[in-house]
Amino acid sequence: MQPDLQGPWSPLLGRLSLAAIPYDNPILVGTFLVVSVVALALVGAVFYFGKLGYLWRNWLTTVDHKKIGVMYIILGLVMLLRGFFDGVMMRTQQLLADGPDSAGYMGAAHGYLPPHHFDQIYTAHGTLMLFFAATPLVAGFGNIIIPLQLGARDMAFPYLNAVSFWLTFAAAMLCMVSLFVGEFSNATWVGLMPLSEMSSNPGVGVDYWMWAFQISSLGTTFNSINMIATIVKMRAPGLTWFRLTPYCWSSLATNIIGLTAFPVVTVALTLLGFDRYFGTHFFTAGYGGNFMLYINLFWIWGHPEVYFLMLPAFGLFSEIVPTFSNKTLFGYPTMVAASFSIAGIGWVVWAHHFFTMGMGPNLNGYFSAATMIVGIPTGVKAFNWLFTMYRGKITFTSPMLWAMTGIVLLLIGGLTGMMLSASVVDYTVHDSLFVVAHFHCMVLVIGSALFAATIYWWPKVFGFKLDEKNAQIFFWVFVIASLLVFVPMFELGLAGVTRRLDYIYNAALKPLLWVTEVGIILYFVSLYYFVKMLVVSLLRREPAAADSWGTGRSLEWLTHTPVPFYNFAVTPEIHSREEAAWRRDRGLDTARPTEYVDIHMPSNTGVPFVLGVLSFVWGFALIWRIDWLVEITTLAMVVTVILRAFDKNEGYVIPAAQIARYEAKIATASVVADVADEAPAGALEV
Amino acid sequence: MAHETMTADAAVRLWNAEADEHDPISARTYGFWLYLMSDGLIFASLIAAYAVLDNKMSAFGHPMADTLLSASQGFVQTLVLLGAVLALSLGTLGLKTGARGGLALGLAVSAALGTVFVAQGLAGLDAMAAAGNGPTASAYLSCLFVLLFTHGLHLAIGVLWSLVMLVQIFRFGFTQDVVGRLLNLRLYTQFQAAVWVVVYLYVYLFGGAH
Amino acid sequence: MRIWRNLGLLAPLALAGCSVHDLRLFFPAGPMADVEFHYTWLMVVTMLIVIVPTLVMTIVFPLRYHHSRNAKYTPNWDFSAVIEVLAWGIPLAIVLPLCYMTIKAVNALDPWNPPALAGQGSGGAPVNVEVVATDWQWVFIYPDQKIATIDELVVPAGRRVNLTMTATSNMNGFYIPQVAPMVDAMPAMQSKDAFIIDKPGQFTGFSTDFSGAGFSWMQFQTKAVTDAGFAAWVQGVQAGAPALDYPTFTAKIAPAQVNYGAKISEFTLADPKLFDEVMAAAMMGKVYPVPPALDDSVNLAAATPAGQ
Ligand code: HEA
Ligand code: HEA
Ligand code: CUA
Ligand SMILES: [Cu+2]
């Protein structure tokens, strides 16, 4: 039933052939060399130091929420770096390719990238940044912090948690492979229709985008189920709903969005898949197809998605601002109400992404007004943070600086977002660089929150603080770079420059383009300080206290730093929304349990990793239409899941005496792994 | 708000050693229920897509439900499916008494009826395609096929699951894991039946021939 | 209006040595763009009423309450009904007038028949133009004048122009900054737009909705000319240009290459139903072959070296 494929196809390799490898493209070959050298070095190091067993036992098969969180964060940072290089390439192309007289290099008419290549870059950039940088980073912090703030031993479903991660990881790897085998989509991160259909995109690019997106959103849906169940079911005694931390509340709102919105995009992508693989006509222009259906389905997910990323960032600010203001969060109940208002209203505003479709004044008017209402609860959030600082005792540590920057960016992004939400204004700047600047302000709010959180919780996870001096230099350079890149973009938008241009015909805009390029160069400088910060602190490794900042307010600051793999030796009894501050005020913060009980822990399993590998191969086979491999991997996944159901897997118990020994030893241990190594997975099987 | 009670320090209970025992079945059922919510949204989106494409333009000159589907035939399918749910639900009554035989019977009957349902559905789609009204003929038909196919796929998974449980109740007995899975299977089947009722009402009864 | 403009120009100017005239959105050239510009600034200023004080607070509070300042410290102060009411109330008070303004404006610009154009312009008979976005050129059909052009839109200043739009295979956004609001041109569908240009002049138009490899070059020149100039232009085209019917149209727009430096061309309209035929073809599922050089995944590029 397959539609006619352009180009060769063979039963053994599908569409795959040597021609799919872009060895004639110097940029890709260079990238390939760098990536493979790094990968080989990493693999080589693992073998050289004999760490394969360690890697497998402690990381690849782990179900520990903290380790999965760390892996999510590493994945997110690496992808952020890759996304940044995409940004560098785009900015440089636009700088070079301006005006009819601009030169062309490397076979391009203008600039150095032919349209086909440029289009893949921003599509990959948007996809990667949202699904493989921002989402894993947000999920990673959720994984690490939420069970700790709930006083739980782990997530509600530790095994599912690992599955979510490995699915996300597999999807990210599919995106990376597209660099070197075949191509990526050139139809934007939103997948414009009918541009993404076979008729306009007969290659494998759209398939890469579609399957990477599909597999990662499956992982995200599972993660949302897990998070909600954890927050609802795993709270420590005394932790009533209105003692939940603001971060847990916003995560709950977020994951309700995740649970309900992602299935919609799953359907949109599945229908596109039917079109591309079986020749159906959901989103084609002809045969009665309706591409507006795709656009609606996509944005019914797509708009809530931006709040799916933003609400956790809000939650992170609500943790960090009180800590460094040394003051309780202002307006806790209305903060909670605002989170849920944002999540709720986010559902009914999707059409503001296509005001220019000619929907008519009634629909446009409604969607404009509905969108603007989101400004109210968002404003409440901003005001409550401000009044948390008001009459506080503020220290300007780097997390606090990031939080303050986040608020400023939110105001700029919000102001411009509100402009866009007025359809009259959108009629002039829709799909322009003004929109690009708006949403980069917003994603940089998320970025700010994530950088803040990295520095803030680093000691809790690794036992030592990050070097503050380099952290501050990184902060300043990064912020200045961002201003230089994105402020001119607002102006370019007002000059009527459309987004997604590989060629800007108005050569008069050159000065603005140069300003953004300077910003890009500064980003490189900031990167240097980020790495320096990591290296300096790793070398120094000064042990941090349980309450690493001295003013921590929530539960996680009560357990050891670094957190032992069982989190709390004995589950704490909760008395307040800010348990750590509450105990500190009463001089109880250093009190430790005196009696221990047995702890039941889930044992490690390789199944999630295997499922991740299988889904990667499955996706790859689908993309290249290697039918036999699709069948084998599908079968293998079904069998793996069934076999897993026959595995008794009851976890293991750490006897109370053992806990006592750990707790005594922790006073001297400095890194989480020292303790964890003593309890090899499943060694204490019942 | 934050620092409500000022209890005397000595009396404050800081650690709670009994707290570790969460009820795994309750968390598991709740998680599964959340999954069903997301599955429900999948069907909601598909049915919304169907509603959008359910018009003459999208039918592109090809027939629609009013000539392709028969409400009475769909009714037979509905009865088969409800039979499967009933069998499973009655079977799980055996959980209370520990009666393995009744449960096995329930699972087997439910799997058999589920298979019949899927076969009926596939046969219907096959006949349509053979008559030149396959999923590639028009956008409307694409949607009709995919909607029915997706539901059928869910049921096929349900059948496979029932078979796995049939093995497990004999291999493991009524362990906590097995009971949790059985309860979820029952939820799953009931939920798919509920989805079918919506599909039946909307596609067959309102749209189909009588 | 002028005040807003001057206000608005201050900020962006500060940044780079660009000429203000490049910021096209600040120079509306007709009643439609006037409405857009007017409401843009009205709304921005309304929002600044709350955004600016909030920005100031974001900077002042941390400085004022920095621990080194020993300012008043109330660690447990966590609620104030007055502040909460204001925190919800002030944004609400700003959002309500914004909603009112946007709804009013969007009604004034209803693309199917914009009230903003009522009673504007010189009152001459409207010009009807049918627009077809192809991959990647713009075809303008003047059904009344029986002529057509590619990548060139000539209209009389002061007279109303009614646009009816569609596309051959992909979605495009039709946009002439300073003149007309953006409206999508979509395959198998019809959309509308309308505008009046106040004075003769030249404006660049382009596509805003990404439509494939040649998208960046999808520009067209909009020339607003005098009534007499328009009549003369029409006559010139009618007299000398080649004929355009459906087969020539398909040949002309076949996306052989990316349209680097597209050429303007003019035609007499041989087929008055051309627009409807294009739409019908899209509905019937007509697809145009993708230029091979753009599709290097299945490496047809190797077979056809064109474009490399
Ligand atoms: C995390 C990401 C994020 C967030 C939080 C937002 C938040 C908002 N966004 Fe944005 N948006 C994106 C990411 C985000 N957006 C992306 C990625 C796109 C482009 C997608 C694509 O096409 O590729 C986009 C595009 C986009 C469009 C479509 C533009 C176009 O394509 O033409 C619109 C239009 O309405 C819009 C509006 C808004 C509004 C009104 C908010 C509001 O939530 C903002 C609310 C905040 C404030 C208003 C500031 C604080 C409030 C106060 C201080 C109170 C008082 C203030 C007032 C009452 C004014 N956004
Ligand atoms: C989370 C989302 C996100 C983020 C963070 C970014 C960040 C950046 N983006 Fe982009 N962007 C999008 C989402 C995002 N973007 C989307 C959705 C699109 C639309 C795509 C489309 O049109 O389809 C887009 C499009 C887009 C364009 C296209 C414009 C056009 O259409 O013409 C450009 C061009 O300049 C651009 C640039 C940048 C730049 C310079 C950054 C910089 O801010 C990046 C800064 C980052 C760094 C400097 C890296 C720092 C890294 C670390 C600290 C980690 C280090 C790690 C290790 C050492 C292991 N982005
Ligand atoms: Cu119809 Cu865009
Ligand atoms: Cu949105």
Side-chain angles (χ1 to χ4, degrees):
Chain A
M1 221 199 272
Q2 288 215 351
D4 296 338
L5 292 175
Q6 273 187 32
W9 183 87
S10 70
L12 185 63
L13 290 176
R15 306 181 85 181
L16 195 58
S17 69
L18 266 187
I21 295 167
Y23 45 78
D24 52 350
N25 186 322
I27 303 172
L28 289 179
V29 172
T31 320
F32 179 73
L33 287 178
V34 173
V35 172
S36 35
V37 165
V38 172
L40 279 179
L42 282 178
V43 174
V46 166
F47 280 100
Y48 183 78
F49 295 108
K51 288 284 187 194
L52 191 63
Y54 163 80
L55 200 65
W56 175 256
R57 257 178 286 119
N58 278 282
W59 295 94
L60 302 186
T61 60
T62 187
V63 292
D64 181 337
H65 68 100
K66 299 175 291 298
K67 285 188 177 167
I68 292 177
V70 169
M71 290 194 289
Y72 263 124
I73 290 170
I74 293 174
L75 175 69
L77 286 178
V78 172
M79 292 295 140
L80 184 63
L81 193 62
R82 149 93 209 263
F84 166 59
F85 285 122
D86 291 334
V88 174
M89 293 182 78
M90 290 187 284
R91 297 288 357 119
T92 309
Q93 165 73 10
Q94 291 192 340
L95 173 74
L96 294 177
D98 66 321
D101 303 324
S102 63
Y105 309 94
M106 293 165 61
H110 296 273
Y112 68 106
L113 295 170
H116 190 62
H117 193 172
F118 180 81
D119 301 340
Q120 289 177 45
I121 292 179
Y122 69 72
T123 305
H125 169 82
T127 312
L128 273 167
M129 282 297 204
L130 289 170
F131 302 126
F132 304 121
T135 307
L137 284 166
V138 164
F141 282 106
N143 253 285
I144 296 177
I145 303 309
I146 287 180
L148 286 176
Q149 288 194 340
L150 296 175
R153 296 256 175 256
D154 207 313
M155 302 278 278
F157 312 113
Y159 161 73
L160 187 67
N161 197 21
V163 172
S164 304
F165 170 74
W166 288 111
L167 287 180
T168 311
F169 187 83
M173 288 307 111
L174 274 181
C175 264
M176 292 306 283
V177 164
S178 77
L179 267 179
F180 313 122
V181 187
E183 54 171 4
F184 201 66
S185 169
N186 57 18
T188 83
W189 83 275
V190 305
L192 294 175
M193 292 302 149
L195 192 66
S196 304
E197 289 281 354
M198 270 314 210
S199 53
S200 299
N201 252 307
V204 295
V206 174
D207 299 328
Y208 264 115
W209 166 80
M210 188 173 81
W211 290 115
F213 193 164
Q214 187 77 287
I215 293 173
S216 83
S217 58
L218 208 63
T220 308
T221 314
F222 289 159
N223 191 49
S224 288
I225 292 176
N226 213 340
M227 286 283 184
I228 300 177
T230 306
I231 295 174
V232 172
K233 292 281 181 190
M234 307 288 281
R235 283 168 296 155
L239 187 45
T240 55
W241 280 107
F242 279 91
R243 285 179 186 165
L244 272 185
T245 59
Y247 179 58
C248 287
W249 271 118
S250 61
S251 292
L252 185 62
T254 295
N255 287 300
I256 291 175
I257 297 178
L259 178 75
T260 46
F262 275 86
V264 181
V265 83
T266 302
V267 167
L269 292 172
T270 307
L271 300 187
L272 174 64
F274 275 103
D275 276 6
R276 287 185 65 85
Y277 283 76
F278 297 105
T280 55
H281 295 290
F282 286 98
F283 308 133
T284 54
Y287 298 91
N290 188 333
F291 51 85
M292 320 274 284
L293 175 63
Y294 175 85
I295 298 169
N296 278 283
L297 287 176
F298 184 90
W299 286 114
I300 288 176
W301 162 81
H303 185 81
E305 152 77 8
V306 305
Y307 295 121
F308 173 80
L309 295 173
M310 189 52 112
L311 284 171
F314 287 171
L316 296 173
F317 289 147
S318 301
E319 299 290 319
I320 288 164
V321 172
T323 298
F324 295 105
S325 303
N326 202 357
K327 179 164 170 289
T328 182
L329 179 72
F330 186 83
Y332 171 84
T334 68
M335 275 308 218
V336 175
S339 291
F340 281 84
S341 314
I342 293 172
I345 304 167
W347 270 99
V348 292
V349 303
W350 73 89
H352 66 217
H353 291 276
F354 43 91
F355 280 141
T356 58
M357 291 259 255
M359 281 184 295
N362 290 334
L363 275 179
N364 276 3
Y366 159 75
F367 278 106
S368 284
T371 306
M372 287 177 165
I373 292 173
V374 187
I376 302 170
T378 316
V380 169
K381 294 242 155 203
F383 295 134
N384 282 346
W385 293 321
L386 292 181
F387 281 94
T388 305
M389 296 192 244
Y390 183 74
R391 291 189 184 162
K393 250 192 181 6
I394 299 173
T395 37
F396 287 165
T397 54
S398 45
M400 186 64 183
L401 291 174
W402 278 115
M404 283 153 54
T405 310
I407 300 174
V408 173
L409 285 171
L410 179 68
L411 292 173
I412 303 171
L415 171 74
T416 50
M418 294 291 277
M419 287 170 70
L420 293 172
S421 70
S423 355
V424 232
V425 185
D426 196 58
Y427 288 163
T428 63
V429 286
H430 170 64
D431 267 349
S432 72
L433 288 183
F434 191 85
V435 175
V436 175
H438 151 69
F439 71 74
H440 279 90
C441 275
M442 286 305 199
V443 297
L444 286 174
V445 177
I446 302 170
S448 303
L450 293 170
F451 287 137
T454 308
I455 301 168
Y456 182 59
W457 276 298
W458 184 279
K460 201 72 244 174
V461 176
F462 294 106
F464 59 94
K465 279 199 199 180
L466 286 173
D467 177 56
E468 180 65 14
K469 185 171 140 253
N470 285 300
Q472 295 224 1
I473 302 177
F474 167 66
F475 163 82
W476 285 109
V477 180
F478 191 98
V479 169
I480 294 169
S482 302
L483 290 177
L484 288 177
V485 173
F486 295 110
V487 173
M489 268 204 212
F490 281 120
E491 279 191 68
L492 288 167
L494 294 177
V497 178
T498 306
R499 66 195 282 199
R500 297 166 178 154
L501 291 179
D502 57 293
Y503 163 70
I504 294 176
Y505 70 91
N506 189 351
L509 300 171
K510 193 96 184 178
L512 288 175
L513 296 171
W514 266 114
V515 177
T516 68
E517 196 69 14
V518 172
I520 291 287
I521 294 166
L522 272 188
Y523 269 141
F524 276 106
V525 178
S526 79
L527 209 54
Y528 167 76
Y529 284 103
F530 185 86
V531 176
K532 190 170 168 205
M533 164 184 84
L534 293 185
V535 173
V536 168
S537 351
L538 260 166
L539 291 178
R540 197 181 308 136
R541 284 214 206 181
E542 263 166 40
D547 180 3
S548 318
W549 302 95
T551 51
R553 309 189 73 81
S554 42
L555 192 56
E556 74 272 22
W557 301 110
L558 283 178
T559 185
H560 302 285
T561 290
V563 186
F565 63 98
Y566 45 79
N567 293 356
F568 292 88
V570 178
T571 303
E573 178 88 26
I574 311 296
H575 310 85
S576 157
R577 215 182 71 218
E578 299 179 317
E579 186 68 12
W582 187 88
R583 292 196 186 185
R584 187 168 54 237
D585 288 353
R586 284 159 190 73
L588 299 170
D589 51 330
T590 49
R592 295 272 163 231
T594 44
E595 275 172 54
Y596 302 102
V597 287
D598 296 355
I599 297 178
H600 183 237
M601 296 292 291
S603 32
N604 286 2
T605 158
V607 175
F609 180 74
V610 170
L611 282 177
V613 171
L614 283 175
S615 60
F616 172 82
V617 179
W618 179 75
F620 188 81
L622 275 165
I623 289 160
W624 290 97
R625 299 177 196 241
I626 310 171
D627 298 349
W628 61 270
L629 193 54
V630 176
E631 282 152 26
I632 290 184
T633 42
T634 312
L635 195 69
M637 282 193 275
V638 174
V639 171
T640 313
V641 170
I642 293 180
L643 284 185
R644 152 84 193 172
F646 282 89
D647 171 11
K648 279 217 189 116
N649 204 290
E650 279 155 358
Y652 62 99
V653 168
I654 319 169
Q658 183 85 9
I659 305 273
R661 251 176 289 135
Y662 287 150
E663 289 285 299
K665 196 183 160 209
I666 277 169
T668 57
S670 67
V671 180
V672 67
D674 293 354
V675 181
D677 272 347
E678 271 201 31
L684 301 154
E685 209 90 49
V686 248
Chain B
M1 281 221 57
H3 310 278
E4 56 272 45
T5 40
M6 282 294 282
T7 15
D9 285 357
V12 181
R13 181 183 193 186
L14 292 181
W15 312 100
N16 188 330
E18 295 99 75
D20 257 26
E21 289 313 312
H22 290 275
D23 176 0
I25 292 218
S26 130
R28 186 177 191 148
T29 316
Y30 181 68
F32 193 76
W33 184 81
L34 289 174
Y35 154 73
L36 288 181
M37 295 270 294
S38 70
D39 208 22
L41 271 140
I42 288 196
F43 282 110
S45 314
L46 274 174
I47 291 171
Y50 181 83
V52 169
L53 296 174
D54 188 10
N55 63 56
K56 276 265 158 320
M57 282 264 281
S58 294
F60 199 60
H62 285 270
M64 298 175 63
D66 53 1
T67 49
L68 293 172
L69 299 179
S70 134
S72 45
Q73 201 188 317
F75 189 64
V76 177
Q77 261 187 291
T78 312
L79 289 183
V80 173
L81 183 56
L82 292 181
V85 175
L86 191 68
L88 186 65
S89 305
L90 288 179
T92 46
L93 286 182
L95 279 178
K96 289 212 181 90
T97 55
R100 228 181 266 191
L103 182 56
L105 186 67
L107 281 170
V109 172
S110 148
L113 287 177
T115 314
V116 171
F117 176 89
V118 173
Q120 278 176 320
L122 283 182
L125 294 183
D126 246 17
M128 274 193 255
N133 297 317
T136 57
S138 76
Y140 168 77
L141 284 166
S142 303
C143 200
L144 181 65
F145 269 74
V146 169
L147 176 61
L148 297 181
F149 173 79
T150 309
H151 184 260
L153 185 67
H154 275 84
L155 275 173
I157 291 172
V159 169
L160 188 63
W161 189 351
S162 307
L163 296 179
V164 169
M165 292 323 295
L166 206 52
V167 179
Q168 291 207 337
I169 52 172
F170 288 108
R171 178 113 184 245
F172 298 139
F174 290 159
T175 63
Q176 195 189 55
D177 273 348
V178 169
V179 172
R181 286 186 196 125
L182 281 169
L183 292 177
N184 288 347
L185 173 62
R186 189 174 68 183
L187 258 178
Y188 181 82
T189 322
Q190 289 167 345
F191 179 77
Q192 299 308 336
V195 170
W196 173 257
V197 170
V198 176
V199 171
Y200 176 72
L201 286 177
Y202 189 67
V203 178
Y204 282 75
L205 206 58
F206 294 159
H210 295 267
Chain C
M1 196 89 80
R2 304 294 135 184
I3 311 166
W4 294 136
R5 174 178 306 168
N6 293 337
L7 257 180
L9 288 183
L10 283 178
L13 253 186
L15 234 142
C18 281
S19 154
V20 272
H21 288 271
D22 292 322
L23 298 175
R24 281 182 288 195
L25 299 192
F26 293 89
F27 299 93
M32 296 292 268
D34 277 344
V35 172
E36 291 167 342
F37 188 67
H38 173 76
Y39 279 102
T40 304
W41 284 105
L42 207 56
M43 287 201 234
V44 169
V45 170
T46 314
M47 290 192 268
L48 289 180
I49 298 175
V50 55
I51 296 286
V52 169
T54 317
L55 268 173
V56 171
M57 285 195 286
T58 318
I59 293 161
V60 169
F61 283 5
L63 294 178
R64 177 76 187 79
Y65 295 99
H66 191 260
H67 65 91
S68 64
R69 306 273 307 239
N70 282 323
K72 190 165 181 209
Y73 176 49
T74 53
N76 292 335
W77 181 62
D78 69 350
F79 197 81
S80 149
V82 178
I83 291 178
E84 288 301 336
V85 168
L86 290 178
W88 290 84
I90 294 176
L92 181 69
I94 301 284
V95 162
L96 287 180
L98 287 180
C99 290
Y100 172 75
M101 285 187 249
T102 190
I103 289 175
K104 214 173 133 186
V106 81
N107 277 295
L109 293 183
D110 179 3
W112 290 81
N113 187 12
L117 290 184
Q120 301 279 341
S122 65
V127 178
N128 295 314
V129 182
E130 292 167 340
V131 182
V132 183
T134 72
D135 292 347
W136 295 275
Q137 308 171 58
W138 292 96
V139 180
F140 298 101
I141 301 169
Y142 295 71
D144 304 328
Q145 285 76 15
K146 303 241 177 312
I147 56 172
T149 61
I150 291 183
D151 288 344
E152 178 195 38
L153 176 61
V154 182
V155 296
R159 268 160 71 184
R160 176 169 170 160
V161 181
N162 293 323
L163 303 173
T164 309
M165 302 191 253
T166 193
T168 49
S169 58
N170 280 309
M171 208 163 134
N172 279 284
F174 175 91
Y175 187 35
I176 316 173
Q178 305 170 253
V179 172
M182 206 182 291
V183 175
D184 291 348
M186 297 166 281
M189 288 167 71
Q190 214 185 73
S191 50
K192 298 253 183 197
D193 204 354
F195 62 83
I196 295 175
I197 299 180
D198 289 336
K199 291 195 291 276
Q202 277 233 26
F203 306 89
T204 308
F206 43 81
S207 174
T208 56
D209 206 342
F210 182 71
S211 58
F215 163 75
S216 302
W217 280 265
M218 259 184 101
Q219 301 144 20
F220 57 92
Q221 288 309 315
T222 311
K223 300 191 182 109
V225 295
T226 58
D227 263 352
F230 182 68
W233 175 75
V234 169
Q235 267 171 12
V237 177
Q238 282 168 341
L244 185 70
D245 56 7
Y246 188 67
T248 7
F249 170 85
T250 6
K252 203 79 202 164
I253 63 132
Q257 266 311 318
V258 173
N259 44 333
Y260 300 121
K263 299 255 183 325
I264 291 174
S265 30
E266 295 167 343
F267 306 92
T268 55
L269 186 64
D271 184 348
K273 289 248 169 284
L274 183 59
F275 183 87
D276 298 335
E277 275 169 58
V278 170
M279 237 177 80
M283 286 169 127
M284 295 309 289
K286 181 173 173 59
V287 294
Y288 297 82
V290 183
L294 306 178
D295 181 33
D296 51 26
S297 70
V298 284
N299 229 338
L300 293 175
T304 19
Q308 290 301 310

